[in-house]
């Protein structure tokens, strides 16, 4: 007997984006920038997947690939198990309704000449949707949902604080009742005091509506309390992924361990207070190291023998599909610590 298993809401399989490199004749033909290089993960309905990693590791490119703002070089994105690269026009429009995005910089993602009400109404107009009570009523409901006052309707973005602008961005993302919202560092540009309010708002909305999030962050502490699952990226690849609690409490990849060791521990007695410093410069995605892309900065490297180091340089560690560390010597990382 076969059991029919529900496919995840959204899945990325071997997702890759290589940008054409600069340099060479006519500014072309340089080495390709491997911004995203074979990334796989899934997001369940109503769940939050956190994607974390340092600046430049390919988080935003991943988000833009999922939004279909960029064509992948290879790999696939699936919604409900269906390849979104082969949707017809009507299906592609439906995908654009179901998957929405909140951007990092609320100021630059809003048109300065458009009122807040018009900005929130724009997705409804773009999709030709007339809500039962009319667009205005729907926009007012959305404004109320995100904590904006009705009299904000005719105001312009420049009259708003950063936090309020991000609330507009969230209301706009909610307008079409999406099933997934890609949040690309939605609080990074906000004052620390405002960050928690916006994160709480996103959590409340999820509890109310069951929307799923792909939550991109470089701040691990945000993801820790919010995400069900987490994927850690480095130089265009997923180094480790799994249930948030597992990854945070028992990090297995040396990169995850280093990242976490830099986060202040709430518990001063925590054994993991020891900071692991990464030495060496971050390589460029136009010329990533062979084999394991992390090997040039890996804290484990001094403990490895010559043959082991040759393996790191020669063999790409298998990319974890859904779980676990992409490291040849992950067990060593745990033992050595
Ligand atoms: N349009 C582009 N053309 C060339 N390189 C790009 C482009 N967009 C991003 N990159 C490069 O891809 C890498 C990943 O960028 P990005 O996805 O923005 O990282 P993150 O969001 O994690 O900071 C960076 O090296 C960046 O410079
Ligand atoms: Mg980014």
């Amino acid at each position: 007997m076969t059991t029919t298993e529900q496919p995840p809401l959204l899945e990325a399989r071997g997702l890759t984006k290589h940008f054409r490199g600069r340099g060479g004749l006519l500014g072309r033909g340089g080495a390709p920038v491997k911004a995203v290089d074979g990334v796989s993960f899934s997001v369940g309905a109503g769940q939050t997947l956190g994607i974390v990693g340092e600046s430049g590791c390919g988080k935003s490119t991943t988000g833009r690939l999922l939004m279909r703002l960029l064509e992948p070089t290879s790999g696939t994105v699936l919604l409900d198990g269906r390849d979104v690269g082969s949707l017809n026009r009507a299906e592609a429009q439906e995908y654009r309704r179901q998957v929405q995005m909140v951007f990092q910089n609320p100021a630059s993602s809003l048109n300065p000449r458009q009122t807040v009400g018009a900005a929130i109404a724009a997705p409804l107009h773009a999709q030709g949707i007339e809500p039962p009570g009319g667009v205005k009523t729907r926009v007012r409901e959305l404004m109320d949902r995100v904590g904006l006052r009705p009299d904000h309707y005719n105001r312009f973005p420049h009259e708003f604080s950063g936090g309020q602008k991000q609330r507009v961005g969230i209301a706009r993302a909610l307008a079409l009742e999406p099933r997934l919202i890609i949040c690309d560092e939605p609080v990074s540009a906000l004052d620390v005091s405002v960050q928690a309010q916006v994160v709480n708002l996103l959590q409340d909305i999820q509890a109310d509506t069951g929307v799923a999030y792909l939550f991109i962050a470089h701040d691990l502490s945000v993801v820790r309390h919010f995400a069900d699952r987490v994927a850690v990226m480095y130089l265009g690849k997923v180094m480790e992924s799994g249930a948030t609690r597992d990854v945070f409490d028992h990090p297995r990849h040396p990169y995850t361990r280093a990242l976490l060791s830099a986060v202040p521990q709430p518990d001063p007695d925590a054994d993991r207070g020891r900071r692991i410093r990464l030495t060496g410069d971050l390589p460029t995605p136009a010329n990533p190291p062979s084999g394991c892309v992390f090997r040039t900065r890996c804290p484990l490297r001094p403990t490895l023998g010559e043959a082991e180091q040759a393996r790191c340089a020669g063999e790409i560690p298998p990319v974890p599909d859904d779980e676990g560390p992409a490291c040849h010597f992950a067990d060593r990382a745990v033992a050595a610590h």
Side-chain angles (χ1 to χ4, degrees):
M1 256 180 54
T2 55
T3 51
T4 46
E5 206 180 302
Q6 186 102 340
L9 175 63
L10 189 93
E11 188 180 353
R13 281 191 199 155
L15 203 55
T16 297
K17 183 67 189 180
H18 293 178
F19 291 108
R20 193 197 302 248
R22 289 183 214 106
L25 199 63
L26 303 171
R28 293 187 194 172
V33 177
K34 299 179 173 176
V36 175
D37 205 26
V39 160
S40 300
F41 54 76
S42 59
V43 192
Q47 300 264 301
T48 297
L49 171 72
I51 294 201
V52 297
E54 291 165 281
S55 176
C57 71
K59 303 182 299 295
S60 292
T61 304
T62 301
R64 291 165 69 202
L65 287 167
L66 299 177
M67 283 300 292
R68 308 191 75 214
L69 298 169
L70 287 172
E71 266 302 302
T73 306
S74 62
T76 45
V77 176
L78 302 105
L79 185 76
D80 298 319
R82 285 195 60 197
D83 182 351
V84 305
S86 58
L87 301 178
N88 66 31
R89 235 176 111 170
E91 291 166 335
Q93 176 157 348
E94 178 59 19
Y95 182 83
R96 281 195 295 276
R97 190 188 74 69
Q98 298 200 14
V99 183
Q100 296 290 313
M101 190 155 183
V102 172
F103 296 91
Q104 178 170 2
N105 190 333
S108 62
S109 68
L110 294 172
N111 178 349
R113 282 180 291 277
Q114 196 173 37
T115 64
V116 159
I120 297 169
L124 294 165
H125 292 309
Q127 289 260 337
I129 291 172
E130 180 72 24
V135 170
K136 251 195 165 143
T137 306
R138 176 82 182 116
V139 170
R140 289 225 154 87
E141 283 167 13
L142 288 162
M143 290 174 63
D144 182 53
R145 184 66 198 85
V146 301
L148 294 169
R149 296 202 312 265
D151 62 293
H152 287 151
Y153 194 99
N154 288 313
R155 302 256 187 103
F156 288 91
H158 71 86
E159 302 173 60
F160 281 24
S161 69
Q164 284 174 315
K165 282 185 201 134
Q166 197 57 298
R167 287 172 195 271
V168 176
I170 294 167
R172 183 176 55 181
L174 288 172
L176 298 171
E177 300 180 42
R179 292 165 71 207
L180 175 75
I181 302 180
I182 295 161
C183 304
D184 187 357
E185 303 203 36
V187 299
S188 301
L190 305 179
D191 290 345
V192 174
S193 58
V194 181
Q195 290 187 2
Q197 294 169 18
V198 173
V199 169
N200 289 342
L201 173 66
L202 288 168
Q203 284 187 289
D204 288 349
I205 289 167
Q206 185 170 56
D208 281 0
T209 64
V211 70
Y213 293 126
L214 186 121
F215 195 98
I216 296 171
H218 66 253
D219 182 350
L220 291 160
S221 55
V222 174
V223 166
R224 176 169 211 158
H225 300 289
F226 188 6
D228 302 287
R229 303 182 63 76
V230 62
V232 180
M233 283 184 73
Y234 181 85
L235 224 60
K237 291 187 185 291
V238 173
M239 296 287 106
E240 176 164 9
S241 65
T244 305
R245 180 167 293 183
D246 292 344
V247 172
F248 275 83
D249 290 352
H250 307 287
R252 290 158 71 193
H253 195 287
Y255 179 60
T256 317
R257 300 177 71 81
L259 269 188
L260 284 172
S261 77
V263 178
Q265 293 292 327
D267 174 6
D269 296 332
D271 185 33
R272 281 184 287 108
R274 202 145 52 108
R275 181 161 185 166
I276 305 167
R277 283 188 195 283
L278 293 182
T279 53
D281 294 331
L282 183 66
T284 149
N287 185 22
S290 66
C292 171
V293 290
F294 183 56
R295 68 183 166 83
T296 54
R297 298 171 78 204
C298 183
L300 209 54
R301 193 180 184 181
T303 72
L304 300 176
E306 225 168 273
E308 291 171 327
Q309 290 194 29
R311 186 168 173 217
C312 297
E315 217 182 292
I316 299 172
V319 178
D321 214 23
D322 219 16
E323 295 270 348
C327 172
H328 295 306
F329 302 105
D331 295 343
R332 205 77 61 83
V334 176
H337 193 67

